Amino acid sequence: MKLVRNLTVEQPITAIELLAKVLPELSKSRLKDAMAKGAVLLNTKPKKRLRRAQTALLPGQKLEIHYDDDLLQRQCDKAVLLHDMQGYSVWFKPAGMLSQGNEWGDHLALLRAVELHFGHKRPVFLLHRLDREASGLVLLAHSKKMAAAFSKMIANHAIDKEYLVAVKGELSRELQQTAKIVSSLDGKACETQFYNVHYAADLNQSKLQVKLISGRKHQIRRHFAAIQHPVIGDPMYGDNNKDSKGLALQAVGLSFNCPQTQQRQNISLPAHLQHISVSF
């Protein structure tokens, strides 16, 4: 079952009683589960997730519920804390986990997982995103000051991000010599650089390391699909590149000057969390 409802409170009532009244087809236990998983929003500015079933509502308040049985029942592997500097942290985001939630919920979102991990004792600021299907390193800030510092670094291209990718087919010698893809996406110029290319003939796959010079949505996936070498296991771009292991794209390295210590931080994804099978 999938539904969307916009509700206006007409008289004092609890959130769960209002939802149960308007949506009799859903049991209170299912409604409470949807609330806990972030699928009910209080229509304020900005909108807030309404999780407490017994929250008292007043006339004039507005609620939204975005209910999807399939999404609410989905699960994924847990995020893993890899590096904690108090002011910021670096996490492994598994495939299947969103970087942040949306109107349909946030129970499969890294931001929510980190909030729960720290018991809501630290604010959590998302600094960059990683596609739901991808896995790897994600950097989060835990104060407005630290978020501002990292955002400035990102804008100045002062954070190096390294990706490990497996793509379909063998890259031509000319393409390997060029070692970059320069092509506009969404009307904006962008560049993808790559190196350490290794072709596995038995798999008809090329493994390579990638560095983004710009950061457009799905940039790596779209760029390699455009040159007829789609990322293995990509469900959205490319043909005949399905793989039961999922998307062969991982964020495996972060390098930056720590805003707290001013020392260089070089953070790599541990080998046991890497899943791309072809090797150099």
Side-chain angles (χ1 to χ4, degrees), residues 18 21 40 45 71 75 92 146 197 199-200 219 260 276:
L18 174 62
K21 179 181 179 181
V40 178
K45 292 185 178 181
L71 290 177
Q75 297 181 354
F92 169 69
M146 198 58 58
V197 179
Y199 177 62
Q219 179 174 324
Q260 297 177 180
I276 299 176

Side-chain angles (χ1 to χ4, degrees), residues 77-94 97 110 113-119 122-124 136-142 254 267-270 272-273:
D77 292 338
K78 292 184 178 181
V80 180
L81 176 60
L82 298 176
H83 187 74
D84 188 4
M85 290 292 288
Q86 300 297 312
Y88 66 90
S89 57
V90 178
W91 291 75
F92 169 69
K93 184 197 82 65
M97 178 176 278
L110 178 63
V114 175
E115 288 175 351
L116 293 174
H117 176 87
F118 290 124
R122 299 190 201 179
V124 183
L137 302 175
V138 177
L139 176 65
L140 300 171
H142 299 300
L254 287 172
I267 302 171
S268 298
L269 184 66
H272 72 278
L273 292 174

Side-chain angles (χ1 to χ4, degrees), residues 5-9 15 18-19 40-43 50 57 61-65:
R5 294 287 189 277
N6 294 286
L7 314 176
T8 300
V9 181
L18 174 62
L19 292 169
V40 178
L41 303 175
L42 189 60
N43 202 344
L50 186 60
L57 301 176
Q61 288 186 294
K62 298 180 183 295
L63 297 186
E64 298 176 15
I65 179 170

Side-chain angles (χ1 to χ4, degrees), residues 75-77 92-98 131-136 245-247 275:
Q75 297 181 354
C76 69
D77 292 338
F92 169 69
K93 184 197 82 65
M97 178 176 278
L98 297 164
D131 297 346
R132 181 180 66 83
E133 300 90 348
S135 60
K245 296 179 181 179
L247 183 70
H275 74 81

Side-chain angles (χ1 to χ4, degrees), residues 3 7-8 24 50 58 72 80 165 174 187 200 207 211 244:
L3 57 83
L7 314 176
T8 300
L50 186 60
L58 298 174
L72 293 173
V80 180
V165 184
E174 180 182 0
K207 178 184 176 183
K211 180 180 179 181
S244 60

Side-chain angles (χ1 to χ4, degrees), residues 241-262:
N241 60 323
K242 294 182 179 180
D243 193 290
S244 60
K245 296 179 181 179
L247 183 70
L249 189 162
Q250 288 195 294
V252 298
L254 287 172
S255 183
F256 54 88
N257 291 328
C258 174
Q260 297 177 180
T261 66
Q262 307 309 313

Side-chain angles (χ1 to χ4, degrees), residues 52-279:
R52 289 184 62 251
Q54 298 302 321
T55 299
L57 301 176
L58 298 174
Q61 288 186 294
K62 298 180 183 295
L63 297 186
E64 298 176 15
I65 179 170
H66 297 257
Y67 185 92
D68 186 323
D69 266 331
D70 177 58
L71 290 177
L72 293 173
Q73 291 173 17
R74 287 185 189 177
Q75 297 181 354
C76 69
D77 292 338
K78 292 184 178 181
V80 180
L81 176 60
L82 298 176
H83 187 74
D84 188 4
M85 290 292 288
Q86 300 297 312
Y88 66 90
S89 57
V90 178
W91 291 75
F92 169 69
K93 184 197 82 65
M97 178 176 278
L98 297 164
S99 293
Q100 66 181 107
N102 54 32
E103 67 271 22
W104 296 95
D106 65 351
H107 70 296
L108 295 181
L110 178 63
L111 253 62
R112 178 61 174 165
V114 175
E115 288 175 351
L116 293 174
H117 176 87
F118 290 124
H120 299 279
K121 294 180 180 179
R122 299 190 201 179
V124 183
F125 298 91
L126 184 68
L127 300 168
H128 60 106
R129 290 174 173 78
L130 195 58
D131 297 346
R132 181 180 66 83
E133 300 90 348
S135 60
L137 302 175
V138 177
L139 176 65
L140 300 171
H142 299 300
S143 70
K144 290 183 178 180
K145 180 179 179 181
M146 198 58 58
F150 275 112
S151 294
K152 184 176 180 180
M153 292 167 64
I154 291 172
N156 292 331
H157 304 287
I159 298 180
D160 292 327
K161 303 174 189 175
E162 181 183 316
Y163 300 83
L164 190 59
V165 184
V167 303
K168 180 183 175 183
E170 183 177 13
L171 276 64
S172 68
R173 180 175 298 180
E174 180 182 0
L175 187 57
Q176 292 189 48
Q177 290 176 342
T178 303
K180 62 182 178 181
I181 304 169
V182 180
S183 177
S184 296
L185 294 174
D186 304 320
K188 297 180 180 179
C190 54
E191 180 178 331
T192 300
Q193 296 182 354
F194 57 90
Y195 50 99
N196 286 344
V197 179
H198 173 77
Y199 177 62
D202 57 328
L203 298 172
N204 190 32
Q205 295 178 9
S206 293
K207 178 184 176 183
L208 51 149
Q209 290 169 277
V210 171
K211 180 180 179 181
L212 294 182
I213 305 304
S214 49
R216 309 303 176 201
K217 185 176 181 180
H218 298 171
Q219 179 174 324
I220 295 174
R221 299 161 65 180
R222 294 165 72 186
H223 263 178
F224 280 97
I227 61 169
Q228 308 306 311
H229 293 286
V231 176
I232 298 298
D234 191 337
M236 190 174 299
Y237 305 101
D239 297 320
N240 301 317
N241 60 323
K242 294 182 179 180
D243 193 290
S244 60
K245 296 179 181 179
L247 183 70
L249 189 162
Q250 288 195 294
V252 298
L254 287 172
S255 183
F256 54 88
N257 291 328
C258 174
Q260 297 177 180
T261 66
Q262 307 309 313
Q263 295 182 355
R264 193 68 177 173
Q265 290 277 11
N266 297 296
I267 302 171
S268 298
L269 184 66
H272 72 278
L273 292 174
Q274 294 186 20
H275 74 81
I276 299 176
S277 58
V278 292
S279 59

